[in-house]
Amino acid sequence: MGTGLGKAKETKDEPRSLSSAELIGYSVTFIWLVGAGAFFYFAPSNGDGSMDSLRFVMTLVALFLPVAVIWVAASAARTARIYREETERLRSSIDDMRQALFGEREAKSKAITGQVEEKLAAIAQSAQKTETVLATFSSARQQGRVQLPLAKPEPSDDQPSLALGTTAEELQPPLSNAMLIRAINFPESDQDADGFAALRAALKDRQARQLVQASQDVLTLLSQDGIYMDDMRPDRARPEIWRRFAKGERGRATAVLGGIRDRSCLALTSARMREDAIFRDAAHHFLRRFDQMLVAFEPQATDEEIAALSETRTARAFMLVGRVTGAFD
């Protein structure tokens, strides 16, 4: 930046050379004056050699008016040349300023990139710990599934008794809305006791477990592209919009649910949907599970609970994948 300004000052202090327009002006003026002088010198004069005042004025006008016009044009050309030179100097200064600004931005960008990479590494490590714990819970649940033995029929003279089998899942109390919301948001860290308690309760409910597993699959695949729900800041939709979507309404009225505006995340997810068959199948399975959960959840949920549901990591993944697949159209 200083180099450009220094060049401008040096150029301003240097004497300006004559331009072609000024040289032409001098040449034409000289030729005109010489020709006019020769004309008046060799022109025949009056007998008495006198000249009235009107003729004298007209002679001066005829002599100097072309000279004035010539130098007006030369001055205009000189002014235009000065403006061009000033414009070039300003352009050079702006280019130097832009290069300095780009250099400063690049330095700041490198510093910010390093911080972001550290944050992403920490998030990935935390996600890996959470996935390990989830896998442990899931396997423990599958190994610990209890099947009650069939009741032996007792003889009766009137009618035979039916043998009934009841699974342990059917004996569990229904999962509350608060526990479901807490579970599909997943634990914040490995120290989040409430989050893991809600997750254990959700894994005991068949429908909630299916949604948790589908959400975990999608979140894990998205994390491979550096997409994390904690970084999302979606536009909030009113609870009545979620209710209308749960009741089957689509189109402009529910398009606000796809409130993810991050272009890079949308582009990466869209490319993954086109190129990765595994991700595509997992995404469609996740969308179906979330839609089924929302249909069952909406009639018994308050507006506050629907608003809390929309802030979970699972709901943000639903907004992202749903917008990419056109689920809200």
Side-chain angles (χ1 to χ4, degrees), residues 47-316:
D48 54 359
S50 62
M51 182 181 294
D52 55 6
S53 59
L54 180 59
R55 184 178 179 184
F56 179 74
V57 171
M58 293 300 295
T59 301
L60 292 179
V61 170
L63 180 62
F64 291 105
L65 182 59
V67 176
V69 171
I70 292 171
W71 282 104
V72 167
S75 298
R78 181 184 179 88
T79 302
R81 188 189 69 163
I82 293 174
Y83 284 159
R84 285 195 299 271
E85 293 175 354
E86 293 293 338
T87 301
E88 291 297 329
R89 285 196 296 270
L90 288 175
R91 185 177 299 169
S92 177
S93 299
I94 292 172
D95 291 340
D96 292 338
M97 292 173 63
R98 185 183 293 110
Q99 292 177 0
L101 181 61
F102 285 164
E104 184 178 355
R105 286 183 178 177
E106 185 177 358
K108 290 182 178 179
S109 176
K110 290 181 179 179
I112 294 174
T113 301
Q115 297 176 0
V116 171
E117 289 178 352
E118 293 178 359
K119 180 180 178 181
L120 291 177
I123 293 174
Q125 185 177 4
S126 176
Q128 186 176 5
K129 291 181 180 178
T130 302
E131 291 169 9
T132 303
V133 176
L134 288 174
T136 304
F137 285 145
S138 179
S139 61
R141 173 60 190 153
Q142 292 175 0
Q143 294 175 3
R145 181 176 298 171
V146 178
Q147 181 72 29
L148 296 180
L150 295 178
K152 294 182 179 180
E154 297 180 357
S156 174
D157 296 338
D158 298 333
Q159 59 181 6
S161 60
L162 299 177
L164 301 178
T166 305
T167 63
E169 292 179 351
E170 295 175 351
L171 299 178
Q172 295 292 335
L175 189 66
S176 65
N177 291 343
M179 294 293 282
L180 174 62
I181 293 170
R182 189 67 188 85
I184 63 175
N185 192 46
F186 294 98
E188 297 292 342
S189 65
D190 53 359
Q191 304 297 326
D192 187 1
D194 294 338
F196 283 109
L199 202 56
R200 284 193 294 269
L203 291 175
K204 295 177 182 179
D205 184 270
R206 185 174 63 86
Q207 293 183 351
R209 181 177 68 247
Q210 292 174 349
L211 175 60
V212 167
Q213 292 173 346
S215 176
Q216 178 187 353
D217 293 339
V218 170
L219 292 176
T220 302
L221 292 172
L222 288 174
S223 67
Q224 295 174 358
D225 288 333
I227 302 174
Y228 300 95
M229 298 303 105
D230 291 342
D231 299 333
M232 298 293 178
R233 295 295 181 269
D235 297 339
R236 293 185 178 180
R238 299 189 305 274
E240 55 265 28
I241 304 298
W242 285 97
R243 293 186 187 275
R244 293 167 68 177
F245 181 82
K247 293 176 181 178
E249 188 171 349
R250 300 293 185 271
R252 182 178 300 177
T254 58
V256 68
L257 296 181
I260 303 297
R261 304 298 180 186
D262 193 318
R263 294 183 178 178
S264 61
C265 292
L266 291 171
L268 289 172
T269 307
S270 179
R272 193 77 180 270
M273 286 290 294
R274 293 193 305 267
E275 300 170 0
D276 191 342
I278 296 176
F279 177 80
R280 185 164 57 250
D281 294 340
H284 287 301
H285 177 68
F286 166 66
L287 292 176
R288 287 194 300 270
R289 291 301 179 189
F290 190 93
D291 187 65
Q292 292 172 359
M293 178 276 299
L294 187 62
V295 171
F297 178 83
E298 181 270 330
Q300 57 181 342
T302 64
D303 288 348
E304 290 76 11
E305 289 173 337
I306 292 179
L309 176 72
S310 66
E311 294 294 329
T312 62
R313 294 184 177 95
T314 298
R316 292 181 181 182

Side-chain angles (χ1 to χ4, degrees), residues 39-50:
F39 174 78
F40 285 107
Y41 181 80
F42 292 106
S45 59
N46 296 333
D48 54 359
S50 62

Side-chain angles (χ1 to χ4, degrees), residues 258 286-287 316-329:
F286 166 66
L287 292 176
R316 292 181 181 182
F318 178 73
M319 295 178 190
L320 175 62
V321 179
R323 179 171 181 180
V324 169
T325 58
F328 307 116
D329 298 338

